[in-house]
Amino acid sequence: EEEEEERRHDQHQQHAGDGEGGGHHDQGHDGQEPQEEEEPAAPVRVLLTLPDVNTSLIGRRISLLWPDDGTWWEATVLHLNAYSGQATLFYPKNEDGVEDDDLGEQEELDLREAVENNEVSWALDQGGGGGGG
């Protein structure tokens, strides 16, 4: 019975889609509109790996995930001890999201640990690709 209904549906679609290249993309006609426009895909983040945690990061922008709220924050690496993984980061955005080098804040953290927790990516405008150091 379902096959018969599906065949009738397909025949209807072929007639309805004449001149539109087949009309087969319009499958879900049981009350739901087919979703033509999808939301733009989220930018792809390239996570840092442990070999990326070296002095070549100094001066580069990275993104850090704050697990509490799921927000990625851009930061610049001001200092990094490549042996311990301890880093000084500068977040140029204040709490209102306004980028201001005078109002931003610094943070000390174990960058190696954050990388191991998949909480560090290359800044979206930097694309990735560390380089050895």
Side-chain angles (χ1 to χ4, degrees):
E1 224 175 276
E2 283 183 22
E3 288 178 15
E4 179 67 32
E5 188 177 324
E6 202 170 300
R7 189 165 51 241
R8 269 188 268 133
H9 179 73
D10 285 350
Q11 287 173 345
H12 172 72
Q13 290 302 325
Q14 286 174 354
H15 292 300
D18 284 349
E20 276 189 12
H24 223 40
H25 64 288
D26 202 17
Q27 291 269 310
H29 232 44
D30 34 19
Q32 289 188 340
E33 288 278 318
Q35 291 189 350
E36 295 281 326
E37 288 184 30
E38 293 183 20
E39 288 192 27
V44 177
R45 292 195 175 273
V46 179
L47 295 176
L48 270 71
T49 59
L50 284 176
D52 293 323
V53 181
N54 61 61
T55 53
S56 71
L57 283 178
I58 296 172
R60 297 208 46 196
R61 283 173 39 142
I62 58 175
S63 295
L64 276 97
L65 175 66
W66 287 26
D68 294 345
D69 64 4
T71 303
W72 288 88
W73 291 88
E74 301 271 312
T76 300
V77 180
L78 298 180
H79 175 77
L80 173 65
N81 181 321
Y83 297 105
S84 70
Q86 282 295 358
T88 304
L89 305 178
F90 177 74
Y91 297 90
K93 292 189 180 180
N94 63 21
E95 289 179 8
D96 300 325
V98 177
E99 196 157 316
D100 185 333
D101 288 340
D102 296 326
L103 296 176
E105 51 185 83
Q106 289 188 20
E107 177 186 28
E108 302 277 330
L109 81 119
D110 184 340
L111 200 56
R112 286 183 183 274
E113 182 180 327
V115 165
E116 287 176 338
N117 292 331
N118 296 320
E119 295 171 353
V120 186
S121 79
W122 294 105
L124 292 176
D125 61 357
Q126 300 232 350

